[in-house]
Amino acid sequence: MSYRKGSKVWVEEKGEGWLEAEVVDAKDRAVVVLTSQRKKISVLPEKLLPRDTDEDLGGGHVDDMTKLTYLNEPGVLYNLKRRYALNEIYTYTGSILIAVNPFMRLPHLYNEYMMEQYKGVRLGDLSPHVFAVADASYRAMVNDSRSQSILVSGESGAGKTETTKLIMRYLTYVGGRAVLDDRSVEQQVLESNPLLEAFGNAKTIRNDNSSRFGKFVEIQFDKTGRISGAAIRTYLLERSRVVQITDPERNFHCFYQLCASGKDAELYKLGHASTFHYLNQSKTYELEGTNNEDEYWKTKRAMDIVGISRSDQDAIFRTLAAILHLGNIEFSPGKESDSSKIKDSTSNFHLQMTATLLMCDPDLLVSSLCSRSIHTTEGIIIKALDCAAAVANRDTLAKTVYARLFDWYFLSHFFINFVCFHNAHIYNTFNIFRLVENINKSIGQDVDSKAQIGVLDIYGFESFKHNSFEQFCINFANEKLQQHFNEHVFKMEQEEYKSEKINWSYIEFIDNQDMLDLIEKKPIGIIALLDEACMFPKSTHVTFATKMFRNLSSHPRLEKTKFSETDFSISHYAGKVTYQTDSFLEKNRDYIVAEHCNLLSSSRCPLLSGLFTSLPEESVRSSYKFSSVASRFKQQLQALMETLSTTEPHYVRCVKPNSVNRPQLFENQSVLHQLRCGGVLEAVRISLAGYPTRRTYAEFVDRFGVLVPELMLGSYDERALTESILEKMKLNNFQLGRTKVFLRAGQIAILDVRRAEVLDNAARCIQGRFRTFIARKEFMKTKEASISVQAYCRGCFARKMYTIMRETAAAIILQKHVRRLILQRNYQEACSAALLIQSCIRGFIARRYFSTIREQKAALVIQSFWRKRKVAMLFQHYKQATIAIQCAWRQKLARKELRKLRMTANEAGALREAKNKLEKKLDDLTLRLTLERRMRAAGEETKLVEISKRDKIIETLSAECAAAKSSARTEHDKNLLLQRQLDDSLEEIAMLRGNKILKAEEEKQNSNLKNIVKSLSEKNSLLENELSTARKSSDDTMEKLKDVEGKCTHLQQNLEKLQEKLTNLENENHVLRNKAFNISPKTVSEKFSASIGLPNSEHKHIFETPTSTKHLAPIPHSTGTRRQKLPVERHEGNHEILSRCIKENLGFKDGKPVAACIIYKCLLHWRAFESERTAIFDHVIEAINGVLKAKEADGRLPYWLSNTSALLCLLQKNLRSNGFFGTPSRRSAGSLGLGGRTCQLVGRGDTLAQVDARYPAILFKQQLTACVEKIFGQLRDNLKKEISPLLSVCIQAPKSTRAQAGKASKSPGVGAQQPSNSHWDNIVNFLNLLMDTLRENYVPSFFIRKLITQLFSFINIQLFNSLLLRRECCTFSNGEYVKAGLSSLEKWITDVTEEFAGTSWHELNYIRQAVGFLVIHQKRKKTLEEISQDLCPSLSIRQIYRICSMYWDDKYNTQGISEAVVSAMREMVNKDTANLVSNSFLLDDDLSIPFSTEDLSMAIPATDYADVELPECLHQHPSVQFLLKAS
């Protein structure tokens, strides 16, 4: 392929795998590229791979990698990397799911709500998820009645076990049993995981919880799709880990759990894990974030759930403890050279503990460890073992015991269907199958199940620095699975080709059968040669390698290494792996030691003796019996492949993004290696062998329509246009299917090159036109500037001449005005001097006259204020004296009233003896009252003494006030005289101003008067202070008296309440005593238990059918009056008329429901509300419930919502609670007593009558309220079900609409067409029909408003959740489509007015803001604050991040949010995930009832039932003749 300058390519790099690059120079033999690291590299063209030029648009990633423009290795790698950076850990490759381990908790992805979202949804409709794969397998099993399998693979730490857990969890969710028992199969399947992890998982270098075996979980289903049983198979347990581990790895988890079990560990004489040889080979004993003791109890709990008995549990843990003790047994040389013995007392202790725990003979145990027997024709020969052989013998026993225990554990308690006995003579087949059968019966395995779903969790391809026998077997298994995988991928390719009706017969299939023949073919396969070498005791790995190279040297996939004679390399599908054969023979030999079998078969533990049955006689001749691990594994693998071949496979490939187990870290080289090992790139190769590029015709035309612009105008056939484009480009390697075009590898690159050339030419044309436009614009600007300069110069010359002329004229005018100003100034100075002299003279005369008048007025003011002051003081004195007298009189009256209250309180009779508790309370209150009285009396005495003292003080003060008054009068007289003298003196002063002697005498007199006035004012101030103190003391006394009066009033109220409660209890006891004499003891107990359960009825589900009153004990209510109970029970014959009113549609009259009014009139006339016992209310409720349960009930729900709400409103407005059934807050002051009339009409004229209701009526009102809530909830749920299909097609724009938008955007000369909103019109029509139905049935606007509000809330939730789950909905064009639909809903809300719509528009906040965000332009310029606060204030950061990660512009190909904003949101989302602030980005539906009984009574107006006439169809009924007479 030729590359041009500017082409985007991928270049291979050792450290990063592949790098993004751009061609900067294209030469003949080499291409110079600029990498993303800003380095220039010269490479050959064939080493480059093309990169999509538009990959940065549309989010930069796809959820299905078959949609990639270039399906190649770097495209797959970087697509996963981009999605992983957005926490999108799941990606499809066709039907294959790739799961990247996030190494962090993402709880919002796995909650029950998310499982419900994926339930029944076609694979690919929603975002990739492991639940989608599980649901696809389940639906295929149910629909096709064919077994399915899910194959989960990946390297250690990639998340295989967690993925398997999630798959099993989802399958148990969708296929849970209809009837749950104490120990269901679902629980056992889920609880099998901690057991598998405890006994088969261990810490490795790469993973803290690595599975050291493979397992196949088979979940069985019945015909209805319910789980009916389960089975588990295990493969290739790593037995060598029991006796040998390396630091920092660990042994199996169960050993550490047992050592940390506390009392159980003490029971088995176990200490810390560091004290045991099999565990202390590594210094890692604890795992971060894991408590061994807690895990131990979880394991025991799981054993209980899966059905392991306590005796078997004890045997299992005793066996584990025995293995640990066995590892601590050490040996020393014996007396003979080749013999051995127990080393010391510590080893002897562990030996005794091992024998005790295994329940066998210690001497026989020592003999089996330190010697072996050889059977000959002459007899048995006992051969001693040296120390090394004894240690190896000990380790063999430990591995054998653990392996048998593990096999038994899953054979017998996880009900395996397939058991492969390679050496049938070793096992007692009959006993084991009998054990499986018995346990399967007790647990519930479905042997008749015809459909199963198998989940395979098996180790992935492994390639380390040192690879041994385990890696050989693991890679052999992966080769087998890869062949199955290739066949499946090829089959899927064929099915797609068939569905598209294209020719595929010449497509080559990539197979690895030659690799499988190399390993397993007989008689010269590697496994066959290995078994042959193991048969000879003197064979070594050297002889095995030599024979293998001699027989298989010509095989193309087998190579001999250069630096070793025994190592060999195999070219697997995932790459070349070099194996070291040093331990191949030892690990392949699975010796069965006869002494070990005999020892443990003689054990007194039934479990151990069952595991190690006695060997047949022919097998006892040799002490060691050889069994090939590789051959047994090959047979198990073959059986697994046979099982998988009968099922439909589904694949999940788990990927570990980095080797340090850290989140948000993606290592390209490691992931690339895993993609090769997982077969994902192999699937890519298979796709490349056929037609890797597949595009729908609409997508193809949208991308390459620019190549034929002449055909894009107007309407066109997309298929024909696609063919025209390909023919014009002269391409031959393509085929046209029904809906897609299929291109061979490299064809899309040719089209992209041609497209780039067309776009470049178009860009050059646009640039030329733009440069022409800029040049012309510059010329026009220069021309206009020159004209402006010329005009400016002429203007400047004219303005200069004009300035000179204006200055000359101005000079003349200035001279004239200056002369005038000089003359005017001289004249004004002369005038001002004359005026100044005149004004000074006149001012002197006026001031002298003014001072005289001011002195006269000041004297008058002083006199007037003094007279006013004396009168005011006299008035205040009289007023204070009057108040003091009044206070004294009120005190006297208050004391009299207090004495009366005390007498009234003392006359209250004692309570009856039957109420002991109330008497005690009353005695306490009486005692408190007496104490209060004594305290009050003592206080009153002290107050009286104080009052008497204050009275005396007041008398003395009054006397002093009288003396002061008399002295003031005398002074007043003197002042009058002085005033007269002052007047005379003033007259004399006026007449004789020049007389200074008289003036001096008058001044002396004035000073004397001032002194007198000062003395009088001081006396008055003293008197006022004394009066104020007296007034304050009297006010304090009055406040204390008021407090005493308040306490008395409070005590009196408490006394009245106690009397009321006492009366209520007496009446209740009276009624209960009467009931006890009238009914049987059994009925009493039933009613009493029902009455106790009555208050809890409020906690039932809001949609529960109201309970009939005949199931509850009616609490009788007696008023104690002389009126007899009304005989309402005789009206049982009237039930028929009520049934007809309920079953028939009586319609409405003037907007009033006829049925509700007739029922209320009848009940009121029959005085049912006043009856203490009646069944008529039960009949009404049962009849309404019967109508609601009928088939046609859904259509009558609005009718009955209107009737029941009207009837409930009548009851709330016209019924009044009487006695202790009433609400205390609503009880009037006049209804404290329970006696009186039971029926009392309140109101005047046209007001409705209120009835004192009894208990059945109150209960009827409660039941009717529940009935209204039930009808409302049922109506709302029905509406949600009806509108859900309409919403599912409204969230995504139809393809025709998107195509029209694409055409409009590509042809600038044609106007854009408006998208079709037919789906949204259906929703509007649905809402209009709903409103018409509700209005026809006269449903109150309150209910309509609540119903429409909740319906719009549901619309908001469904649209918003669908938007977040489907990437194809998060597009620009789809946002425009949904926005147009929302505008139609807004118009509908405006048309129906706020009375009926309420806050419905605000309920759409989430979807409105999300869609508004999709359709805004220049998203890249928006900051996080603008998005979260201005554009989407209602959305959480997690929801905004989800939209940003899924958004792509399919209309203008613009870029989304900037990387900085996305990174900031990702950090916030990670913090929220770590802190568990928010678990989900989806919205939950609100199922609550949005109103209460009080809301109904306040919102619904009262109904006047008086003018509602009886329908003609009921005129003949005798029970309602009173209604005809009344009319």
Side-chain angles (χ1 to χ4, degrees), residues 832-1117:
S832 61
L835 291 174
L836 179 62
I837 294 169
Q838 293 173 1
S839 64
C840 289
I841 294 171
R842 292 189 186 99
F844 173 74
I845 296 171
R847 282 192 295 275
R848 189 173 59 184
Y849 179 73
F850 174 72
S851 62
T852 303
I853 293 176
R854 187 172 61 179
E855 289 175 356
Q856 292 178 0
K857 286 186 178 182
L860 291 174
V861 169
I862 291 170
Q863 292 171 3
S864 64
F865 272 100
W866 170 243
R867 295 188 189 99
K868 177 182 176 182
R869 177 67 177 171
K870 287 200 299 184
V871 174
M873 289 171 58
L874 183 61
F875 174 75
Q876 290 295 332
H877 176 70
Y878 289 151
K879 182 179 178 181
Q880 292 171 359
T882 304
I883 291 173
I885 293 169
Q886 290 176 352
C887 290
W889 178 251
R890 290 191 184 100
Q891 290 175 5
K892 185 176 180 180
L893 292 179
R895 285 193 292 273
K896 288 182 180 181
E897 187 66 24
L898 180 61
R899 282 194 293 271
K900 289 181 181 180
L901 292 175
R902 288 174 181 170
M903 293 174 65
T904 304
N906 290 331
E907 289 175 359
L911 298 176
R912 296 188 180 182
E913 295 180 358
K915 306 300 178 181
N916 294 328
K917 294 182 180 179
L918 294 176
E919 286 179 357
K920 291 179 181 180
K921 292 181 180 179
L922 189 58
D923 291 340
D924 294 339
L925 291 174
T926 306
L927 180 59
R928 292 178 184 176
L929 188 60
T930 53
L931 293 175
E932 188 69 26
R933 286 175 184 171
R934 292 175 183 175
M935 294 173 64
R936 196 179 306 150
E940 287 177 358
E941 290 177 359
T942 56
K943 289 172 187 175
L944 290 175
V945 173
E946 291 177 358
I947 290 170
S948 62
K949 291 180 181 179
R950 287 168 186 162
D951 290 340
K952 292 178 181 179
I953 294 170
I954 291 170
E955 290 175 359
T956 56
L957 291 174
S958 61
E960 291 177 358
C961 287
K965 286 178 183 179
S966 61
S967 62
R969 287 174 184 172
T970 56
E971 293 294 334
H972 180 62
D973 296 337
K974 291 180 182 180
N975 288 335
L976 291 176
L977 293 174
L978 292 172
Q979 186 67 33
R980 291 172 185 173
Q981 293 174 2
L982 184 60
D983 294 337
D984 295 338
S985 63
L986 289 173
E987 292 176 358
E988 293 175 359
I989 289 169
M991 295 171 62
L992 302 173
R993 292 184 178 179
N995 196 348
K996 294 181 179 181
I997 299 172
L998 292 176
K999 191 174 183 180
E1001 292 179 356
E1002 288 175 359
E1003 288 177 357
K1004 291 180 181 179
Q1005 289 177 357
N1006 285 332
S1007 63
N1008 293 332
L1009 288 173
K1010 289 180 180 179
N1011 294 330
I1012 293 170
V1013 170
K1014 288 181 180 179
S1015 62
L1016 290 174
S1017 63
E1018 291 176 356
K1019 290 182 180 180
N1020 286 332
S1021 62
L1022 292 173
L1023 292 173
E1024 286 175 357
N1025 292 332
E1026 292 177 355
L1027 286 174
S1028 62
T1029 54
R1031 192 178 297 129
K1032 288 180 181 179
S1033 61
S1034 62
D1035 290 341
D1036 294 339
T1037 306
M1038 288 300 298
E1039 290 178 358
K1040 292 180 179 178
L1041 288 174
K1042 289 179 181 178
D1043 293 339
V1044 172
E1045 289 177 359
K1047 291 180 180 179
C1048 293
T1049 306
H1050 182 67
L1051 291 172
Q1052 185 177 2
Q1053 291 176 355
N1054 290 338
L1055 184 60
E1056 290 175 355
K1057 290 180 181 178
L1058 290 173
Q1059 289 176 353
E1060 181 186 354
K1061 291 180 180 178
L1062 178 61
T1063 308
N1064 292 340
L1065 292 172
E1066 287 176 355
N1067 293 330
E1068 182 182 356
N1069 288 335
H1070 179 68
V1071 173
L1072 291 175
R1073 282 197 295 271
N1074 293 337
K1075 291 289 182 181
F1077 290 115
N1078 295 333
I1079 59 179
S1080 62
K1082 181 178 179 181
T1083 310
V1084 170
S1085 63
E1086 293 175 354
K1087 292 186 176 182
F1088 181 70
S1089 62
S1091 65
I1092 293 175
L1094 179 61
N1096 295 329
S1097 62
E1098 297 178 356
H1099 301 287
K1100 292 184 179 180
H1101 198 275
I1102 54 178
F1103 299 145
E1104 187 177 356
T1105 304
T1107 309
S1108 177
T1109 55
K1110 66 184 180 180
H1111 300 301
L1112 298 172
I1115 304 176
H1117 180 201

Side-chain angles (χ1 to χ4, degrees), residues 767-778:
Q767 289 172 359
R769 295 296 179 90
F770 185 73
R771 291 190 185 100
T772 302
F773 171 76
I774 294 297
R776 178 175 174 77
K777 189 175 181 181
E778 289 295 331

Side-chain angles (χ1 to χ4, degrees), residues 59-70:
H61 63 90
V62 295
D63 55 7
D64 189 348
M65 287 190 287
T66 59
K67 299 178 183 178
L68 289 172
T69 303
Y70 298 103

Side-chain angles (χ1 to χ4, degrees), residues 86-98:
L86 299 173
N87 278 341
E88 297 288 341
I89 62 174
Y90 294 113
T91 308
Y92 291 131
T93 302
S95 61
I96 305 164
L97 179 69
I98 300 176

